Amino acid sequence: MPSGARPWNWSLARRSRRTPLSLRRRKSRTLRHPRAAALAFSPLRDRTLPPWRPTHRQKDEVMTGINEAFSWVSGTVWLGLIAITLWAVVWVIRYLRATPMKRRSIRLAVRIRWGWKRLAPMVNLSVTDKMPTAVASLASGDKVVKPRVLVPTLKVVPDEFGVIVRASCLPQVGLKEFQKAAPYLADAWRMTRVSVLPDKPGQVLIRGVRVDPLITSTTHTPSGHPPEKVALWDLGVDEFGMPVSVPLSEVPGITMAGLPGFGKTSAVNRLICDWAPSPAVQFNVFDGKVSHAYEGDYADLVERLFAFVGDDLEAANKELKRLVELRRARSACQKQIRGVKNFWHVGPTEEWPLIVTIIDEAHTYFRDHKGSDAQTKRLAALAAENARLVEDLTKKGRALGFLTLIITQKTTGDAIPTFIRDVCPVGLSFAQKTADAAVAALGDDIRQWPEANPVTLQDAAYVGVAVMNAHGRPGFVRIRTPFVADEHAARIAAETAHLTRDPGQLLERLTGQDPVDLAKALSEAA
């Protein structure tokens, strides 16, 4: 074989002879492209790939992932079921522990929530939003999106008398719209009455009562604990079952009127029983119905009173003079002892208590006696002086810790002098016989609120119901005051008898001088 010559490949020659010339030419043209050549000589050429079969390890990994996903899903489902079960158990327990009246309110609250979306458009408490949301616009494409009907959201809380609903406002659905719809809501919810008041910005408070709280008798059991806030008088509940409290700080006097047997004394008994556990409050009583302390309505509370006067005008005059001298002594030394000119800037303390003077059947002490005999003239002079002394306490005692509560059947000028009545900012009236008596007790504005006029409270069902000026808003409010049993009053008086102190003796202990002598000495020094 010549040098440099290629060796003869007999196998390739045999394949060449068996391959047609046209196929050899086609292959030669195809193999000119490098990619085609690579495919031509590939070992996978003219072979069918076998199907892919995962390994056991891959199968285990897939099954592990599936099991973990199912475990997360099942865990979430179980947690949801447990939460729903706990909520249902708590709801059932609260329902079973509730009183029969509250159970009816709970069922009513559920019905209000379920039917609200249907009821709101019927009473014009809904708005139509024609602007679609961004999600609705993307999902609809070229289709026209239907407008949405929006209704206010509700939060319903049941209680003994009905429900308290807090509703959010919407554009063109505010306080006025809710107040306009109140009668329709009362009919739909089967309520005795429905009230709508502003609650927060953008929110209204709807109060609905199933039963009338004014004709539902209530009782009060004093706790025997000192009040959280001194000079706050808890009166009872209003016509919508909401609690009513009257702040008496910075208040010089209170007038209370009403027919005999309609709850005046019971309301005062609650005041004494609630405040008696506090050593920072001291009481004295003038009762014009009786002659001795053990006879009248305050016989069970006499142990908690530092002074008591019956229907004796001379004894009343003597005690009122002592109170006026105490007021003068406090006025003379309050700045030096307490460092303030106003009693309420520091508040009542055990050494410098709030003095609550209760004058029941006040017309006994102020009545103008007519006659020319010596006895009548003497009584007329005592009554005139008593009126002057009480005027001194009401007009000058506010900043010195004196609170005067004047009670009578009607607060007309012949029973309580107008110069006393008109300086008492807080006025209550139980049932009255005439419109003039109602005006004297509550002012001329009561004529503009006929539904709250105490003349309408003469029925026996309204014993214990009083009317007073609404605190913080125009108009009047009717209040159901609870009854305090005599045994509870006697218990509180016995438990708190050791707290009774004479404010005059306390001042004498602080200054070392009698209040009368102290007032004279300081006035002379000034």
Side-chain angles (χ1 to χ4, degrees), residues 408-431:
T408 186
Q409 296 179 15
K410 59 178 184 177
T411 57
T412 52
D414 57 342
I416 300 178
T418 55
F419 54 79
I420 297 176
R421 183 191 66 191
D422 294 344
V423 297
C424 297
V426 179
L428 288 87
S429 178
F430 290 80

Side-chain angles (χ1 to χ4, degrees), residues 227 271-279 281 283 304 492-493 496 499:
L271 172 68
I272 298 176
C273 290
D274 288 347
W275 290 8
S278 174
V281 183
F283 306 91
R304 189 60 179 88
I492 293 297
T496 61
L499 301 177

Side-chain angles (χ1 to χ4, degrees), residues 385-515:
E385 189 174 10
N386 290 340
R388 181 183 60 81
L389 294 172
V390 173
E391 179 189 14
D392 182 280
L393 292 176
T394 54
K395 290 185 176 180
K396 302 178 182 179
R398 176 190 60 82
L400 300 170
F402 285 83
L403 175 63
T404 305
L405 176 57
I406 305 172
I407 309 169
T408 186
Q409 296 179 15
K410 59 178 184 177
T411 57
T412 52
D414 57 342
I416 300 178
T418 55
F419 54 79
I420 297 176
R421 183 191 66 191
D422 294 344
V423 297
C424 297
V426 179
L428 288 87
S429 178
F430 290 80
Q432 291 289 354
K433 191 72 174 178
T434 63
D436 292 337
V439 171
L442 300 172
D444 194 64
D445 288 345
I446 191 62
R447 299 182 188 274
Q448 303 176 13
W449 302 83
E451 70 280 358
N453 198 309
V455 176
T456 62
L457 303 178
Q458 298 182 49
D459 191 89
Y462 294 107
V463 173
V465 178
V467 181
M468 68 172 297
N469 292 321
H471 183 67
R473 59 184 176 88
F476 295 84
V477 59
R478 293 179 290 181
I479 307 166
R480 160 61 67 176
T481 61
F483 174 74
V484 179
D486 294 339
E487 55 268 21
H488 294 313
R491 173 179 58 85
I492 293 297
E495 292 176 355
T496 61
H498 64 283
L499 301 177
T500 305
R501 299 287 187 274
D502 191 317
Q505 296 177 1
L506 293 175
L507 184 61
E508 184 177 356
R509 188 181 307 171
L510 289 174
T511 61
Q513 289 182 301
D514 183 81

Side-chain angles (χ1 to χ4, degrees), residues 181-344:
Y184 309 118
L185 295 178
D187 295 336
W189 295 344
R190 300 174 186 175
M191 296 286 186
T192 302
R193 62 175 67 94
V194 169
S195 170
V196 181
L197 295 174
D199 186 29
K200 298 177 182 177
Q203 195 174 71
V204 296
L205 177 66
I206 307 173
R207 175 56 171 165
V209 291
R210 296 182 298 101
V211 295
D212 192 352
L214 299 180
I215 61 175
T216 304
S217 299
T218 57
T219 58
H220 175 66
T221 302
S223 63
H225 301 295
E228 296 181 0
K229 186 176 181 181
V230 180
L232 183 66
W233 189 4
D234 295 324
L235 283 170
V237 295
D238 64 7
E239 54 195 306
F240 296 99
M242 303 298 290
V244 179
S245 300
V246 181
L248 298 180
S249 58
E250 300 281 359
V251 173
I254 307 167
T255 59
M256 184 183 295
L259 296 175
F262 273 82
K264 300 188 299 295
T265 304
S266 182
V268 177
N269 284 346
R270 180 181 183 179
L271 172 68
I272 298 176
C273 290
D274 288 347
W275 290 8
S278 174
V281 183
Q282 299 298 332
F283 306 91
N284 65 332
V285 171
F286 296 76
D287 191 356
K289 297 189 298 292
V290 298
S291 299
H292 304 283
Y294 58 83
E295 297 176 343
D297 297 325
Y298 303 95
D300 297 321
L301 297 168
V302 69
E303 296 182 54
R304 189 60 179 88
L305 310 177
F306 73 85
F308 180 89
V309 177
D311 57 359
D312 188 349
L313 266 65
E314 190 171 354
N317 184 264
K318 182 179 179 180
E319 180 63 24
L320 288 172
K321 285 181 177 179
R322 191 172 77 92
L323 290 174
V324 170
E325 292 297 335
L326 177 60
R327 183 204 61 77
R328 292 173 179 171
R330 277 193 170 190
S331 177
C333 64
Q334 180 171 243
K335 177 66 175 178
Q336 291 80 359
I337 296 177
R338 309 193 82 197
V340 293
K341 295 181 180 180
N342 192 324
F343 171 86
W344 295 104

